[in-house]
Structures are given as structure tokens and as C-alpha cells.
Amino acid sequence: MPDLHKWTLVAGGASGARCGRLTTPHGVVETPAFIPVGTKATVKGVRPETLREIGATIVLANTYHLSLRPGAEVIRDLGGLHAVMGWDGPILTDSGGFQVFSLAGLRRVDDAGVTFRNHIDGAEMTLTPERAMAIQNDLGADIIMALDVCPPYPCSREEAAEAVRRTLLWLDRCRAAHRRADQSLWPIVQGGVERDLREQCARRMVDMDFPAYAIGGVSVGEGHALLREVVGWTTPLLPADRPRYMMGVGEPRDLAACIAAGVDLFDCVLPTRNGRNACAFTADGMIRLRNEVYKTDVRPIEADCDCPTCRRFSRGVLRHLFASDEMLGPILLSIHNLRFFTRFFERLRQAIRQGRFDAEAQGLLDRYYQND
Ligand SMILES: [Zn+2]
């Protein structure tokens, strides 16, 4: 089924910021796009129709969490992730690698796979490339990710090199074990902050010919300057006619830098996690709604925001909801923050189509970071 997944360039050139259209079995994603994170098969507190209303076109769910609870087979028996999430648009699942290397109690990594104690009941489990594929085949997302090795930051050059070697070894096995032609399998370029390792990993993956390429192991503490360098080394080696996905990046200056380098897809927990913590994204930077200064503030979070929250609720009301621990507070703020991100991307897509990406991005960033 080769035509189920394809990406077509819409605007921009062989290098730099570009617009594209990603076709999946469950619909089209205009890129560059932001992917809201639905860790446990739900974008916390946000109904799927609201996600649609505020411009989300694709969502992400986490393989590690869902394989533990309720279990991949349970998701499959409930009709797959689209049924479970009540979302008939495109879905992407990660491989579980990042969580196993960061959340779980890591026991052992060898060429066979990674053995860990899960964070729920402490049971020892092993994730192999074959198991990562079987789980994601059961979950049934449109896009699935190959199991990679995510070293911490900082790590030694030897550790980064070993992660690349193992990621490539596992990629072969993922491809061999992947069973569903309706799911697109994407590899993840690793290599830490070592230029030659990033290049070597990207070249080997491109030789293996995948429909898209992800960049992983960034936004793990290396900072903006190194992230820019990594994306600058990696994207020129990736084919211009395939989508590129930067995993786990959501800080506005990082997003703009990656889009400028030709990255098309991003996911991040920032809008929803910050939303649950009363932190609101605005064009003028983040504001903390628990602050006393908003007590009788009758203005919406952002005057020009078209989200359902800003149309009906003031900063003062939101502050009250958070101060009273009412569940509507995190719900409403998650919705606004997600809309902030989808609007950010809508503006940048329009700017790319009009050939003025650099000026638009600079304007957005100057305003967002004005108080830094
Ligand atoms: Zn809003």
C-alpha cells in the first residue's frame, strides 16, 4: 500500500523552512505541524472534538505507558488506538525507548534489547525491537517509531557511538518484525552531540530508505545552541522529499530554529504539562495564572486568541479555578496552550508560503522572549 503514506512539498525549497502535506490512512497533516501528546491514549483533559476545533491534526500516544496499562492487546481488543482515543485522525506512537531509558529503572542494555523495572509495579521487563514492533502493531497508530537507544546528556563519546551502533542494529530488526503495511515505520537518528556520529547514523538510515526520518536524543539538557548544531548537521543529510520529525522539542526558539533547518513535525508535553501547572503561553511570553496580579483581571489570556477558553473565561476566573483546585482550570488552560502552539505553526506555515519565514519567526521570538 505505497500510497497510504506520502509527503509532498507545498512551499519552500530543498533547504530551509518548507511546507508540506503528509498523507496518512486517517487523513492529512499540513506541515510544519505540532503533535499534541496523549501519553496514556488521552491528551489529558482535552476531548478529541476540542483538539480538532483548535487545529490539531495528529496526536501522539506513548508505547511504554500503554504497553504497561492497559496493555497493547487490550488496546487492540478495544478496537485499536483510534477507537480508544475517540480520534479518527492520524496518530503516531513512539517506540517506548525514550521512556525506558529515562523513566524506568534501567537494568541492562545489550544487543538483544533493554531490560528494565517498570515504574508501576517494579516488575522486570525486556523491550526488544521485535516486541516494540508487536506492541505498536497492536496499538495500530498510522506512524510507528523504531526502537532506539537514547543515551543521557551528557554522555561519553563511546556511549554515544555504542547507542548509534545498537540503534542501527535494532532498526534492521524492527523493519523485519514490522507486520502492518498500513503503518509507516520511521527510524530515529541518534549520535548525541557528536557531529560525525550524527552524520554516520543519518547516512546509514538514509541508505536503508525509509519514508521519513526522526531526530532523537535532543532537548535532553544540551541547550539551544547545541540543539541548533545537531539539527544543522543532520537535516542536510536527510532526503529533501521525506518528512523530518524532531522528537520532544517544544520551546518556541527551538521550534523556530528546527523549522528553519527544514524539520516538519514536532511533539512536546509543554503546552499540556504547563497548562496543568497554571502556566499560560502568550505571544508576550509565559504567564503564571496563580499570581495575585490576575485576581480581578477581566481580560482573556490573549485578546486575539480564538480558543474556546479565551472566548469565555478571563484570567481572573482561571486564577480562581486554579486556586480552588477545580478540574476545569487545567482543562481550559491545556486547551488554550495547545491553541497557542497550533496558531504558532499556522503563522509560520503561512509565512513560509509567502516567502517571509525568517521575518515572521524573528518577530514572534522577539516578542515571546522580550522579558528574558
Ligand atoms: Zn486562548
Side-chain angles (χ1 to χ4, degrees):
M1 286 177 269
D3 289 325
L4 280 182
H5 295 88
K6 64 171 189 279
W7 182 84
T8 1
L9 183 72
V10 173
S15 69
R18 74 249 187 101
C19 283
R21 190 167 290 129
L22 175 67
T23 308
T24 79
H26 287 84
V28 170
V29 179
E30 300 290 340
T31 65
F34 183 76
I35 313 177
V37 176
T39 298
K40 301 174 186 172
T42 166
V43 177
K44 291 186 200 304
V46 184
R47 300 163 73 200
E49 52 268 45
T50 308
L51 287 174
R52 186 73 76 186
E53 180 189 347
I54 59 178
T57 53
I58 173 170
V59 296
L60 176 149
N62 283 118
T63 289
Y64 169 80
H65 293 278
L66 293 174
S67 68
L68 295 177
R69 199 156 56 196
E73 296 82 359
V74 175
I75 299 273
R76 180 196 63 204
D77 294 348
L78 290 171
L81 262 185
H82 292 89
V84 169
M85 296 186 79
W87 172 261
D88 59 6
I91 302 177
L92 181 151
T93 46
D94 62 4
S95 67
F98 181 78
Q99 281 74 27
V100 164
F101 284 92
S102 59
L103 268 186
L106 197 59
R107 305 287 291 170
R108 189 174 66 252
V109 191
D110 56 29
D111 284 353
V114 47
T115 302
F116 59 97
R117 289 193 182 281
N118 79 54
H119 75 291
I120 293 179
D121 61 8
E124 190 168 286
M125 309 176 82
T126 299
L127 187 61
T128 63
E130 291 76 15
R131 180 81 189 121
M133 290 299 101
I135 293 168
Q136 291 186 87
N137 288 165
D138 277 343
L139 295 175
D142 299 88
I143 297 160
I144 68 175
M145 302 305 297
L147 182 65
D148 57 336
V149 177
C150 307
Y153 179 85
C155 76
S156 68
R157 185 181 157 77
E158 291 66 36
E159 200 176 347
E162 183 68 352
V164 167
R165 184 190 69 78
R166 217 161 248 155
T167 295
L168 289 165
L169 179 79
W170 289 358
L171 182 56
D172 264 328
R173 285 164 53 194
C174 283
R175 182 136 80 174
H178 178 33
R179 292 281 172 266
R180 284 180 57 170
D182 60 333
Q183 295 180 303
S184 188
L185 171 63
W186 296 3
I188 304 166
V189 176
Q190 290 287 347
V193 295
E194 307 282 339
R195 179 171 189 161
D196 61 322
L197 295 178
R198 285 278 172 187
E199 291 175 347
Q200 177 201 332
C201 190
R203 287 205 174 91
R204 287 279 307 277
M205 287 176 173
V206 171
D207 286 344
M208 292 170 74
D209 189 24
F210 282 89
Y213 298 86
I215 301 171
V218 288
S219 204
V220 289
E222 76 283 357
H224 179 70
L226 273 172
L227 184 145
R228 277 184 98 106
E229 290 212 52
V230 168
V231 74
W233 302 329
T234 311
T235 48
L237 300 175
L238 302 175
D241 63 347
R242 313 278 164 92
R244 301 157 180 160
Y245 165 31
M246 177 64 84
M247 304 185 78
V249 165
E251 181 66 32
R253 61 161 66 95
D254 295 340
L255 294 172
C258 292
I259 293 171
V263 177
D264 309 294
L265 289 162
F266 301 86
D267 76 279
C268 192
V269 297
L270 269 184
T272 41
R273 179 176 292 165
N274 284 350
R276 294 195 300 279
N277 290 320
C279 292
F281 283 91
T282 82
D284 297 305
M286 190 107 73
I287 62 173
R288 287 171 174 74
L289 284 172
R290 285 186 188 274
N291 197 310
E292 180 79 17
V293 300
Y294 302 117
K295 190 168 187 175
T296 56
D297 192 335
V298 294
R299 296 172 298 169
I301 302 168
E302 292 192 281
D304 70 341
C305 179
D306 58 5
C307 87
T309 302
C310 289
R311 286 200 309 259
R312 291 170 66 187
F313 299 93
S314 66
R315 296 175 178 190
V317 172
L318 288 160
R319 181 183 177 278
H320 157 67
L321 294 173
F322 276 101
S324 316
D325 281 329
E326 283 292 334
M327 62 197 283
L328 192 56
I331 291 172
L332 291 176
L333 199 46
S334 296
I335 291 169
H336 165 79
N337 281 352
L338 285 170
R339 182 63 188 136
F340 174 88
F341 276 73
T342 56
R343 282 175 86 207
F344 185 84
F345 277 76
E346 282 168 12
R347 283 173 187 172
L348 292 181
R349 286 199 300 270
Q350 188 180 27
I352 294 168
R353 287 193 296 268
Q354 296 172 345
R356 49 176 189 84
F357 170 81
D358 289 343
E360 180 74 13
Q362 197 56 55
L364 288 172
L365 296 182
D366 284 348
R367 203 175 150 192
Y368 185 82
Y369 293 106
Q370 61 189 290
N371 298 315
D372 274 24

